[in-house]
Amino acid sequence: MPLVSMRQLLDEAAKGGYGVGAFNVNNMEQIQAIMEAARETKSPVIVQASRGARSYSQDRFLYHLMLAATELYPEIPTVLHLDHGNSVETCKSAIEMGFTSVMMDGSLMPDGKTPSTFEYNVKATREVVEIAHAKGVTVEGEIGCLGGIEDGHGAGLDGLSHLTDPDQAVEFVKFTGLDALAIAIGTSHGAYKFTKKPTGETLKMERLMEIHRRLPHVHLVMHGSSSVPKDLQDIINQYGGKLKPTWGVPVEEIQLGIRNGVRKINVDTDNRLAITGAIRKVFFEKPEEFDPRSYLKPAREAMKKVVALRMTQFGQAGHAGDYAPVSLEEMAHRYHEPVAV
Ligand code: G3H
Ligand code: 13P
Ligand code: ZN
């Protein structure tokens, strides 16, 4: 089946009361890991590429790998999503290439660092919604800013400085007409989210629940949702890595989020950890090896295991065959008839 719109996947997830993981990719092995995990668990899937991923892969390489994924895994509803688009132009170029969903992250200025104004965010997101919906492409927006900068995203603040204001969230949805809303509740990108297991003081699940009460029909998105499991940290450190002790978002909190309107869960760091640990292990145990396949295969397998586990934990497992894909043309048509979507 062709790449499908994210709106359809999230609408189905809302009906079924489950969440869908959105996993970042940069190369063939990561795409293969996700598609194999999706097949094994019978999951619909969101594959996402950041601006960095697009430039690393020269864009078209990544796009054609995704077309190969749809050919080889025809039973899996698969979305290709732009993660953290920083401008209308970036979103436009993704839509032109064939992405079926884009994030216009207008919570930050185009430098990807400076928190923007509400007015800037509404204007940029609304513009992307108009361009995208005319083609049946889904739009995710963000209100409030995540923390963390070590991987090039976020405002360089801790996760608590720019939490989403529920009143603003309501206005933002009304003014933009977006499909999915990313909110800031204390998480950050990368491995160093919390210095100890998060509590209600550091991970604001109450805030999420309030936003869901105010916007019960809006698909919420949790960024910075890697759990940074201790076992993956330990493998890296056991084989010569130097990760400092750290905590991520516990899976139970994500599951609580899913019971309260979260439909898309962004995970990148956990997969990076799994890949790096597997490669370090081969390098350490077999220093004589130099065939890249000898370490890329275990790396791919390690990522597949993490992704399959998250698919099961988020509840998307078993849902790949629930629905027939709706074409982007049909989605575009539906956006013109507001009651139908
Ligand atoms: O949002 C952050 C994702 O982990 C992607 O990171 O910009 O380094 O590709 P990246
Ligand atoms: P993690 O760094 O927690 O994996 O978050 C990824 C993310 O939010 C991508 O947009
Ligand atoms: Zn993110």
Side-chain angles (χ1 to χ4, degrees):
M1 78 174 75
L3 291 165
V4 299
S5 85
M6 188 165 84
R7 177 64 191 250
Q8 188 188 11
L9 252 73
L10 300 187
D11 284 349
E12 291 290 340
K15 274 191 238 160
Y18 58 90
V20 183
F23 304 102
N24 289 75
V25 297
N26 302 274
N27 61 26
M28 179 182 77
E29 285 77 7
Q30 289 176 305
I31 294 173
Q32 290 172 324
I34 296 169
M35 298 313 297
E36 276 298 305
R39 173 164 284 167
E40 186 177 284
T41 61
K42 301 187 172 47
S43 298
V45 71
I46 301 166
V47 177
Q48 59 186 11
S50 67
R51 279 180 290 132
R54 289 177 68 189
S55 103
Y56 175 80
S57 66
Q58 295 168 272
D59 232 0
R60 293 202 79 75
F61 274 117
L62 197 73
Y63 179 63
H64 283 271
L65 286 168
M66 288 305 299
L67 292 186
T70 61
E71 272 174 42
L72 294 168
Y73 299 83
E75 79 282 17
I76 304 296
T78 304
V79 173
L80 177 58
H81 173 78
L82 169 69
D83 191 26
H84 293 284
N86 65 324
S87 66
V88 176
E89 278 315 307
T90 310
C91 294
K92 250 180 161 168
S93 72
I95 294 167
E96 275 157 19
M97 172 154 306
F99 281 61
T100 53
S101 178
V102 293
M103 175 184 193
M104 174 63 228
D105 183 358
S107 73
L108 300 174
M109 297 303 287
D111 67 5
K113 292 191 181 104
T114 315
S116 68
T117 61
F118 180 75
E119 291 69 25
Y120 166 84
N121 196 355
V122 168
K123 186 169 179 296
T125 308
R126 177 73 222 164
E127 208 174 320
V128 171
V129 166
E130 274 161 23
I131 296 164
H133 284 186
K135 296 192 170 342
V137 170
T138 310
V139 179
E140 173 185 340
E142 176 167 326
I143 186 88
C145 301
L146 259 74
I149 196 161
E150 82 264 28
D151 58 359
H153 283 291
L157 308 153
D158 69 80
L160 298 171
S161 344
H162 288 73
L163 295 176
T164 302
D165 174 79
D167 291 331
Q168 271 200 351
V170 172
E171 295 285 283
F172 188 66
V173 169
K174 191 168 78 189
F175 293 153
T176 59
L178 48 60
D179 301 284
L181 179 68
I183 56 171
I185 54 164
T187 68
S188 44
H189 291 118
Y192 299 104
K193 301 179 194 305
F194 303 108
T195 52
K196 55 185 191 326
K197 189 171 180 207
T199 63
E201 290 303 303
T202 47
L203 179 60
K204 306 279 188 185
M205 295 308 292
E206 271 302 327
R207 176 79 60 126
L208 182 148
M209 283 143 97
E210 190 189 340
I211 295 167
H212 178 54
R213 278 194 292 275
R214 304 279 301 276
L215 291 166
H217 303 298
V218 171
H219 303 313
L220 300 179
V221 183
M222 267 176 86
H223 281 246
S225 291
S226 277
S227 301
V228 197
K230 173 100 169 42
D231 59 331
L232 294 182
Q233 296 179 43
D234 287 347
I235 294 174
I236 290 182
N237 287 339
Q238 184 184 343
Y239 295 107
K242 283 210 170 91
L243 293 176
K244 292 172 277 174
T246 179
W247 273 261
V249 183
V251 169
E252 317 83 78
E253 302 293 349
I254 297 171
Q255 289 168 333
L256 173 65
I258 292 168
R259 292 196 293 279
N260 288 277
V262 171
R263 297 292 158 234
K264 174 173 182 271
I265 304 107
N266 282 21
V267 174
D268 186 3
T269 297
D270 284 353
N271 293 324
R272 292 179 175 192
L273 294 173
I275 289 170
T276 300
I279 291 177
R280 279 192 173 280
K281 186 166 186 289
V282 175
F283 283 177
F284 186 86
E285 289 178 344
K286 297 183 190 158
E288 71 286 3
E289 270 293 356
F290 59 87
D291 180 342
R293 289 169 298 191
S294 71
Y295 50 89
L296 292 178
K297 255 172 125 172
R300 185 172 62 190
E301 189 55 31
M303 174 165 164
K304 179 193 146 191
K305 261 174 79 179
V306 173
V307 172
L309 180 62
R310 294 288 176 270
M311 286 170 161
T312 306
Q313 292 166 329
F314 299 161
Q316 72 206 80
H319 290 286
D322 288 0
Y323 45 93
V326 169
S327 68
L328 291 188
E329 291 72 24
E330 171 59 18
M331 287 305 293
H333 179 70
R334 290 187 190 180
Y335 284 121
H336 277 95
E337 294 174 19
V339 274
V341 175

